[in-house]
Structures are given as C-alpha cells and as structure tokens.
C-alpha cells in the first residue's frame, strides 16, 4: 500500500500499534514492526534503565522501525518520564517517540529531533493538540479521554 504514512516512515503497511502501557511489550512491538507496520513499545512508568532494557529487547527481535511511548505525568514517586528517558531513546537510536498524558517540554522534542527521531503526541483535547504543535511535535494521534 502506498500512503503518506508508508512513504514518510518507509513501512510496508499503514498501521501503527496501540501504545497500551502495560500490554505493548517488546514482543508485540517487534511483531507489529516485522509485519510491516510500526510497533510501539509501551512504557508503564518504567525507570530509564528498564526502558533501555525493553528497547534493547525490541531491537533484538526486529531491525524495523518501532516507537517508544513515554507518559508525561506525575506519580506518587515523582515524574514518570525524566530527562534520562530521553537520553536512553537518543542513545538507543529510537526513531519514533510518542508522548501521552501531557505535552512534553520543547527541550525534549528538540533533543529528539536533533538525534533524528520523529515525535508524536497522543492528544485528548484540541488544547492539548495545539500545545503539542507549539512545542514542535511531528504528528498528533487523537485519542478519546
């Protein structure tokens, strides 16, 4: 199939896996990428070190494009995603990062872009989508609240 998504992301099929935080683990993300779409690795509040290990598992299972989902939010233990998560994505040469919950800081988007990654935002409102565009994300994924 030839679509804007398949052309811009050099994939065979125009589908992207859901980034369900506790379901989209390495095997599912790799399987979707190997099938010709874009698998998304969910990140259910994992530490940067665990996130790196999960990314490496996906990389062992596929050489195809996959993305990493990062939640911009606070938990009882503090921020869910921190600068170290961005550093891991850059160090592991992740080519697609999908943020959700809140708009990421522009500095994260800029760092990822400088490293050659594309950045998406799962937005639940028009205001959130506008904010994401303002910090420079490449695409908005609309999702219900």
């Amino acid at each position: 199939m030839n679509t804007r998504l398949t052309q811009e992301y050099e994939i065979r099929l125009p589908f992207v896996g859901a980034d369900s935080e506790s379901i989209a683990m390495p095997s599912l993300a790799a399987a979707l990428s190997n099938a010709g779409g874009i698998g998304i690795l969910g990140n259910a509040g994992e530490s940067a070190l665990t996130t790196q290990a999960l990314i490496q598992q996906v990389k062992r299972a596929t050489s195809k494009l996959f993305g990493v989902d990062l939640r911009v939010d606070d938990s009882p233990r503090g921020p869910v995603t921190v600068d170290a998560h961005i550093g891991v994505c850059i160090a592991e040469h992740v080519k697609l990062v999908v943020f959700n919950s809140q708009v990421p800081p522009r500095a994260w988007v800029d760092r990822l872009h400088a490293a050659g990654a594309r950045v998406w935002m799962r937005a639940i409102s028009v205001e959130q989508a506008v904010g994401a565009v303002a910090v420079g994300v490449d695409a908005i994924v609309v999702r219900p609240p």
Side-chain angles (χ1 to χ4, degrees):
M1 296 185 79
N2 190 17
T3 69
R4 184 174 171 191
L5 184 69
T6 60
Q7 289 174 3
E8 287 188 23
Y9 290 86
E10 298 178 355
I11 56 176
R12 193 169 50 85
L13 299 170
F15 65 83
V16 179
D19 45 359
S20 300
E21 293 175 344
S22 60
I23 297 171
M25 294 282 75
S27 58
L28 180 58
L32 289 169
S33 292
N34 285 333
I38 302 173
I40 302 293
L41 173 66
N43 188 338
E46 304 294 344
S47 70
L49 189 58
T50 302
T51 299
Q52 186 168 30
L54 293 169
I55 291 168
Q56 290 172 351
Q57 286 179 37
V58 177
K59 289 168 73 174
R60 283 193 295 273
T62 187
S63 61
K64 308 283 187 188
L65 173 67
F66 68 92
V68 175
D69 179 64
L70 296 174
R71 184 164 40 110
V72 181
D73 206 356
D74 290 320
S75 76
R77 298 182 318 264
V80 176
T81 298
V82 296
D83 287 336
H85 288 92
I86 307 308
V88 161
C89 288
I90 292 168
E92 292 295 332
H93 307 285
V94 171
K95 295 299 178 195
L96 175 61
V97 174
V98 182
F99 289 105
N100 74 75
S101 294
Q102 297 176 29
V103 175
R106 176 178 281 282
W108 290 356
V109 175
D110 290 347
R111 285 178 61 202
L112 290 163
H113 281 155
R118 300 265 183 104
V119 180
W120 294 0
M121 172 75 197
R122 282 193 303 149
I124 61 171
S125 68
V126 172
E127 294 79 17
Q128 198 173 59
V130 168
V133 169
V135 298
V137 302
D138 300 298
I140 303 293
V141 178
V142 178
R143 73 175 182 98

